[in-house]
């Protein structure tokens, strides 16, 4: 090709798209970044409101196991850009980080906005390479045509793309296209999953999007949802320092201590999110999933039975359990949800339930409420550097790919890593076609 600076169109200005833009602009490619929203990184900023969880400080060999069935595919991404690389990258933007008590890594000020501002400044004013050109309020409408080369003094670009903008339709030309369109959660921030049918028309295999890191609706004693009393009194209350155990019908075991929240219809929160993939898949297979809670995981079964059986005199059962086992109103409410009045006064059954309290889930919450999504472009449809097998010159990155991970920094790190991998693929593709026209 005779272009001195090939044109790359990146669609999607989230972490994956921005990271790809950074790599390609530093290599002096002509990068145009398009996004449907008025400003970049909308989901990134919202996710950082409670503290931007950039990555996780556990050893890399353990970190890469958090990607479930896609561990083998994601591991090379994370070896090229893993948790330490993410911290070093943030440091290069002037953002110091620290490791929290849960081993999660945060900026020292906990905020996403300063990092994003520094990042955008570097993309617009790089010390080396070519500035990135941003096109906001440009919504790709799925049209992606491969141009037919014609003899011409000016080489033909490979692709023509069409966008809807406030000023009307807009057409763009590019030698290479990189899609970083996000998943299907939080549609109001731009990731609405509309691209699924468009890519299927391009003969690219797409797995249906499903909620990940999501909440669930409960089913108690054949009744869907909590009792009206429990929901009205305890929705929004947090279970702290409890242990969640779950074994699915395929024998996969989850057991972890942490926190989660009761909602008006069920449960959500970090501990539930960590088990959400197993729980969701079990519901899809069998129609329900029953987890068990240990409200006193630090106590032996013998001690719990001893405290429950201790004479309570004139105390009510609730006061007795609060004083002897340090249970609170939320714990008591949950016990009353799953046990009959007779069972509550059976010391052996009550003691057992305190440490093996069953909660049956019958549905995941809707995709748009989820923190992230599973499914997307199947990795088998892509090369190792994330180019579509059926569309040379078309690359993809980020959450729109078919992988998932729990919260804790794993999602963001892998999105950033995939953006770098795809950008590396673009550079290799450009180099391979350097003397051809068009790409």
């Amino acid at each position: 090709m005779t272009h001195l600076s090939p044109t790359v169109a990146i669609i999607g200005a989230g972490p994956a798209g921005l990271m790809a833009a950074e790599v390609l602009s530093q290599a002096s490619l002509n990068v145009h970044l398009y996004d449907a929203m008025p400003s970049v990184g909308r989901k990134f900023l919202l996710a950082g409101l409670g503290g931007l969880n950039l990555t996780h400080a556990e050893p890399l060999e353990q970190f890469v196991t958090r990607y479930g069935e896609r561990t083998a595919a994601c591991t090379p991404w994370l070896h090229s850009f893993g948790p330490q690389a993410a911290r070093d990258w943030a440091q290069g933007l002037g953002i110091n980080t620290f490791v929290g008590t849960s081993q999660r890594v945060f900026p020292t000020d906990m905020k996403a906005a300063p990092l994003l501002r520094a990042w955008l400044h570097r993309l617009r004013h790089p010390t080396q390479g070519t500035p990135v050109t941003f096109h906001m309020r440009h919504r790709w409408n799925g049209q992606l045509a491969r141009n037919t080369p014609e003899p011409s003094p000016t080489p033909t670009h490979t692709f023509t793309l069409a966008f809807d903008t406030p000023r009307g339709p807009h057409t763009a030309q590019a030698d290479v296209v990189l899609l970083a369109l996000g998943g299907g959660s939080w549609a109001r921030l731009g990731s609405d999953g509309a691209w699924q049918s468009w890519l299927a028309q391009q003969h690219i295999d797409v797995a249906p999007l499903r909620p990940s890191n999501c909440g669930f609706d409960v089913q108690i004693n054949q009744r869907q949802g909590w009792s009206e009393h429990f929901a009205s009194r305890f929705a929004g209350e947090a279970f702290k320092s409890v242990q969640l155990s779950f074994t699915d019908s395929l024998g996969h075991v989850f057991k972890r201590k942490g926190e989660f929240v009761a909602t008006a219809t069920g449960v959500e929160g970090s501990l539930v999110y960590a088990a959400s993939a197993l729980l969701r898949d079990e519901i899809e297979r069998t129609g329900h999933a029953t987890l068990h809670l240990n409200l006193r995981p630090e106590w032996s079964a013998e001690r719990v039975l001893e405290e429950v059986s201790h004479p309570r005199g004139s105390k009510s059962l609730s006061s007795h359990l609060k004083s002897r086992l340090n249970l609170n109103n939320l714990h008591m409410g949950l016990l009353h949800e799953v046990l009959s009045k007779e069972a509550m006064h059976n010391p052996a059954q009550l003691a057992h339930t305190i440490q093996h309290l069953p909660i049956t889930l019958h549905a995941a919450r809707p995709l748009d409420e989820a923190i992230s999504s599973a499914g997307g472009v199947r990795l088998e449809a892509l090369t190792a550097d994330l180019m579509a097998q059926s569309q040379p010159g078309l690359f993809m990155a980020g959450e729109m790919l078919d992988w998932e991970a729990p919260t804790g920094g794993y999602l963001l790190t892998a999105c950033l890593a995939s953006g770098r991998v795809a950008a590396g693929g673009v550079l290799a593709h450009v180099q391979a076609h350097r003397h051809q026209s068009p790409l």
Side-chain angles (χ1 to χ4, degrees):
M1 93 187 231
T2 58
H3 304 60
L4 292 179
S5 180
T7 297
V8 181
I10 299 176
I11 306 178
L18 292 170
M19 182 58 82
E22 179 174 331
V23 173
L24 296 173
S25 70
Q26 288 177 352
S28 297
L29 271 65
N30 186 18
V31 179
H32 289 259
L33 185 55
Y34 300 85
D35 197 276
M37 304 304 288
S39 58
V40 306
R42 288 293 184 94
K43 187 174 178 180
F44 177 79
L45 288 172
L46 184 60
L49 284 180
L52 178 64
N53 186 189
L54 180 65
T55 189
H56 200 284
E58 68 187 357
L60 183 60
E61 59 270 20
Q62 185 176 359
F63 188 99
V64 299
T65 66
R66 306 303 187 184
Y67 298 84
E69 296 178 354
R70 290 304 194 184
T71 291
C74 293
T75 295
W77 308 352
L78 298 163
H79 276 284
S80 64
F81 188 86
Q84 186 57 52
R87 297 186 71 181
D88 294 342
W89 167 79
Q91 181 66 52
L93 290 169
I95 305 298
N96 295 321
T97 59
F98 74 96
V99 180
T101 55
S102 63
Q103 293 295 102
R104 297 184 181 201
V105 176
F106 301 89
T108 51
D109 64 2
M110 298 292 288
K111 298 177 181 178
L115 186 151
L116 184 59
R117 282 196 299 269
W119 197 4
L120 293 177
H121 180 80
R122 188 160 75 183
L123 292 174
R124 292 185 172 112
H125 308 283
T127 55
Q128 66 177 50
T130 305
V132 175
T133 302
F134 289 83
H135 304 268
M136 307 314 297
R137 293 189 174 93
H138 280 61
R139 183 179 297 277
W140 182 49
N141 60 20
Q143 295 185 44
L144 176 68
R146 186 174 288 274
N147 302 324
T148 302
E150 295 181 3
S152 170
T154 303
T156 306
H157 290 287
T158 305
F159 295 101
T160 297
L161 304 100
F163 298 88
D164 296 325
T165 80
R167 297 184 178 181
H170 173 77
T171 299
Q173 306 284 327
D175 297 304
V176 183
V177 174
L178 194 158
L179 303 179
L181 296 167
S185 63
W186 299 10
R188 69 187 186 280
L189 302 179
S191 299
D192 59 11
W195 50 265
Q196 295 174 85
S197 60
W198 302 338
L199 293 188
Q201 293 171 8
Q202 297 285 339
H203 307 292
I204 295 170
D205 195 10
V206 177
L209 294 178
R210 299 181 293 160
S212 181
N213 292 294
C214 57
F216 294 87
D217 292 337
V218 302
Q219 178 176 305
I220 304 295
N221 298 323
Q222 305 305 312
R223 179 193 69 239
Q224 291 189 0
W226 304 115
S227 67
E228 183 178 347
H229 170 76
F230 185 91
S232 63
R233 185 171 182 187
F234 297 113
E237 294 289 321
F239 290 91
K240 299 184 178 182
S241 300
V242 296
Q243 181 176 276
L244 187 156
S245 301
F246 175 66
T247 302
D248 69 12
S249 57
L250 301 180
H252 300 123
V253 177
F254 177 93
K255 180 180 286 189
R256 189 174 302 176
K257 186 177 176 181
E259 300 183 6
F260 72 94
V261 176
T263 69
T265 61
V267 294
E268 66 179 20
S270 58
L271 187 56
V272 172
Y273 299 156
S276 63
L278 286 178
L279 295 169
R280 178 202 63 218
D281 292 350
E282 183 71 3
I283 292 171
E284 291 178 356
R285 277 193 300 269
T286 68
H288 68 276
T290 300
L291 59 85
H292 289 85
L293 291 183
N294 188 339
L295 302 180
R296 282 291 164 262
E298 69 279 11
W299 289 20
S300 68
E302 293 76 14
R303 182 183 175 189
V304 172
L305 179 57
E306 179 183 349
E307 296 296 348
V308 168
S309 304
H310 192 278
R312 58 187 173 94
S314 60
K315 284 185 178 180
S316 67
L317 178 60
S318 177
S319 296
H320 174 67
L321 294 178
K322 289 177 181 178
S323 63
R324 303 299 303 189
L325 287 95
N326 198 29
L327 299 184
N328 59 32
N329 288 332
L330 177 59
H331 297 143
M332 295 304 303
L334 187 57
L335 288 167
H336 281 292
E337 285 289 287
V338 302
L339 291 177
S340 66
K341 185 176 181 180
E342 293 75 17
M344 286 290 292
H345 288 84
N346 180 320
Q349 189 171 355
L350 177 57
H352 178 80
T353 304
I354 288 170
Q355 293 193 299
H356 302 86
L357 192 150
I359 299 179
T360 297
L361 313 174
H362 73 90
R365 294 299 297 167
L367 174 59
D368 195 44
E369 295 181 15
I371 289 178
S372 59
S373 57
V377 177
R378 296 187 194 273
L379 299 181
E380 293 78 8
L382 306 176
T383 63
D385 54 10
L386 304 182
M387 183 175 74
Q389 302 269 14
S390 62
Q391 282 277 26
L394 176 62
F395 293 78
M396 298 170 212
E399 197 182 331
M400 69 180 294
L401 304 182
D402 183 20
W403 61 276
E404 64 179 313
T407 57
Y410 307 106
L411 283 165
L412 181 53
T413 302
C415 280
L416 295 170
S418 71
R420 294 186 72 92
V421 169
V426 170
L427 293 175
H429 181 75
V430 167
Q431 184 62 34
H433 294 77
R434 178 66 67 178
H435 303 293
Q436 300 179 27
S437 176
L439 277 173

